[in-house]
Amino acid sequence: MTRRTAAGSWVSALLLGCGDAGAGASTGRASETGETSAGAVTTSTTQAETTSTSTPTSTAEPTGTTGTEPPATSTSGQVTTEATTEESPSAGDPCPPWPAAAGPVIEVTPDQAGDLKAIVEGAASGTTIAFAPGTYDVSGGAPIHITTPGLTLRGPSGDRDAVVLDGDYATGEILLIAASDTTVVDMTLQRAFWHPIHATGGDAADISNVVIYNVKVIDPGQQAIKINPSGSDHYVDEGLIACSWIELTEVGRPQIMDNCYTGGIDAHAAWGWTIRDNDIRGFWCPEGLSEHAVHLWVTSRDTLVERNDIRDCARGVGFGLGENGNGNSRAYADDPCPGKSYLGHVGGEIRNNMIWAGDPQLFASQAGFDSGVALEQACDAKVLHNTVVSLEPPFVSMEYRWPNTSATIAGNLTTHAITMRDGAQAQLDGNVEMAGLDHFVDAAAGELHLAPGSAAVDAAPAGLVVDDFDGQARDASPDVGADELVR
């Protein structure tokens, strides 16, 4: 099923937003009250009366570095060169190599790890910071705080294993992004005490077009990639997380704190993000219930979550959490769901994802496998052509919950139930629930492509999604689930 090669005191005012009013959600088996942080201090919450007046456009696919191109100068002893422009690769490949830099390039090496903060924070807009292969010890305490728009941080093209930024759990965050048009590509970030990557709104304005592409994020102390408003209530919109590997390993799991307050991607009040073609693994704890592999809540909006391969996470994809979230919300000027009270998520689509649980240790944990897809106070959500397989009974394969949830749930293939809870509403069409493992090529090994003869073949409503998990076109009689059987 793999489509890609998987191959001290640091607290400052800038970091106080990392502990988002949340320290482990209560289990889906009980009534949630939202997340509450055990001792966390936060300045990055939104206010219900905050109103957005901007309208996002679609998230850009890889097109290279944006921003101006200042003269190639250096004040920190690093090598600065001028790069040439390279044509964008074919749009047919969902994970092509990222284009070559189009502006000035500052080259850095592992022995400059202690200077990275100054180098990155001193770079001019439009600059690419090119990391030479090796491990960079960034455990010095303070994060690399990106406030200049248009910077790109990247390793050697296509090789995210060649460059490792290691926080050794001694820095709260490795990258703290608060600038538009920031790109992080082709590298590994690991072992931050909180979040290896944290994107927040700016001090004076919203930011947009943060791109995280072909990156590995390994063993965070809390969430791997965090997205939330700044302390001055500015947002992070229209971002892209794609073609990346995000994992909590057996080695990293004991480092998780605050009643399993962890997860893969966790976004608050974020509008117009695309999260696609990622591999996400292992977000669960022996005790407590982790957040989702992909989680958008606190009135996030218009998120696209597609073609992700999620394995052995206690919860797969979530829009919203709890009846009232964490007590904060985002208001939109166009009032997209009139007459509703609190909304965990607005609009958005979850499609063509494969979600699998098979680790005996996950099933033996306190929470087990809770859900593959969960909608909570999610208005106008679409859940289309996903596959959710659990080798042992979960709480649910999918659930839609609370009265403000209104959803279309269609063409999904699940080994267990799709469940309504607490007055939610949804239109269900063409789903196959309680599917046996014989529907799949090798479910026990996580190979979730359809087996010939499966009753899911040609059984989905037409016209929901044009392609499948592998990017192959669906025919006029599409198959249920994320895979369209090639015959």
Side-chain angles (χ1 to χ4, degrees), residues 13-44:
L14 298 175
L15 284 178
L16 292 178
C18 73
D20 59 42
S26 58
T27 175
R29 297 158 178 78
S31 175
E32 288 90 340
T33 57
E35 296 186 334
T36 57
S37 179
V41 181
T42 177
T43 60
S44 54

Side-chain angles (χ1 to χ4, degrees), residues 333-427:
D334 60 344
D335 191 15
C337 297
K340 304 288 188 181
S341 55
Y342 173 75
L343 293 169
H345 195 280
V346 177
E349 192 164 322
I350 302 166
R351 69 189 188 202
N352 282 339
N353 299 283
M354 288 190 176
I355 302 169
W356 179 84
D359 185 349
Q361 295 182 89
L362 167 60
F363 295 123
S365 68
Q366 182 183 53
F369 178 41
D370 184 79
S371 59
V373 175
L375 306 176
E376 303 193 26
Q377 301 289 43
C379 173
D380 292 338
K382 294 182 179 180
V383 181
L384 310 174
H385 280 291
N386 300 280
T387 295
V388 180
V389 173
S390 181
L391 302 188
E392 295 187 22
F395 178 56
V396 292
S397 280
M398 295 183 177
E399 67 173 355
Y400 51 109
R401 189 176 189 191
W402 305 115
N404 292 331
T405 292
S406 57
T408 299
I409 301 174
N412 300 285
L413 179 59
T414 68
T415 54
H416 296 81
I418 300 174
T419 302
M420 183 276 287
R421 303 175 67 197
D422 300 305
Q425 300 179 44
Q427 177 181 346

Side-chain angles (χ1 to χ4, degrees), residues 248-316:
L248 178 60
T249 70
E250 289 295 315
V251 174
R253 192 165 289 115
Q255 301 293 330
I256 300 300
M257 63 193 83
D258 297 334
N259 191 32
C260 197
Y261 184 44
T262 187
I265 300 165
D266 180 58
H268 296 204
W271 187 3
W273 278 74
T274 295
I275 300 170
R276 63 167 180 84
D277 299 290
N278 301 292
D279 294 276
I280 307 177
R281 303 285 188 268
F283 286 92
W284 63 271
C285 303
E287 297 182 359
L289 176 59
S290 75
E291 289 192 67
H292 311 66
V294 179
H295 189 203
L296 287 293
W297 62 304
V298 192
T299 328
S300 289
R301 180 175 179 181
D302 296 337
T303 311
L304 175 60
V305 181
E306 69 172 340
R307 297 192 306 267
N308 298 286
D309 183 348
I310 297 170
R311 302 191 186 194
D312 288 328
C313 294
R315 293 190 279 194

Side-chain angles (χ1 to χ4, degrees), residues 20-106:
D20 59 42
S26 58
T27 175
R29 297 158 178 78
S31 175
E32 288 90 340
T33 57
E35 296 186 334
T36 57
S37 179
V41 181
T42 177
T43 60
S44 54
T45 55
T46 61
Q47 302 299 321
E49 64 270 16
T50 301
T51 301
S52 170
T53 58
S54 61
T55 302
T57 56
S58 59
T59 301
E61 293 296 318
T63 55
T65 305
T66 60
T68 59
E69 299 181 8
T73 59
S74 171
T75 59
S76 304
Q78 64 272 13
V79 177
T80 305
T81 61
E82 188 75 22
T84 58
T85 303
E86 180 178 289
E87 291 185 4
S88 297
S90 169
D93 181 356
C95 296
W98 195 260
V105 176
I106 297 175

